[in-house]
Amino acid sequence: MNSYLIRFDDGTSQNVQAASVEYIYDEGVFRFLDDDGKAVAWVPSLNVHAVTDSKATAQRP
C-alpha cells in the first residue's frame, strides 16, 4: 500500500494508507482504495489543496 499525504487549504495535512486514489468528479471527492478495490477513505475535495504520494500528484480541478 502507498502512503498518501492530503494537504488541505488551511495548511493542515493527513496521511492515508491506500493502494490507490481516484477523484470522482461528479461527487467532488477523493476516494482511497485498498488492494481489493474497497474504499478505505472518502475525502471531500472542497478544502483539499493536493493529494500526493511518491509516484504522482493530484490537485483539485
Side-chain angles (χ1 to χ4, degrees):
M1 289 239 236
N2 296 325
S3 179
Y4 291 91
L5 177 64
I6 305 164
R7 294 182 311 171
F8 296 95
D9 291 338
D10 66 2
T12 60
S13 61
Q14 181 176 352
N15 284 307
V16 173
Q17 298 295 318
S20 62
V21 61
E22 62 185 9
Y23 181 71
I24 303 172
Y25 186 79
D26 293 345
E27 297 177 24
V29 297
F30 289 97
R31 184 170 70 162
F32 295 83
L33 307 171
D34 66 12
D35 290 324
D36 296 326
K38 296 179 182 176
V40 295
W42 290 79
V43 179
S45 66
L46 181 62
N47 296 318
V48 172
H49 176 72
V51 175
T52 59
D53 74 354
S54 59
K55 299 176 187 171
T57 300
Q59 289 188 317
R60 180 180 67 218

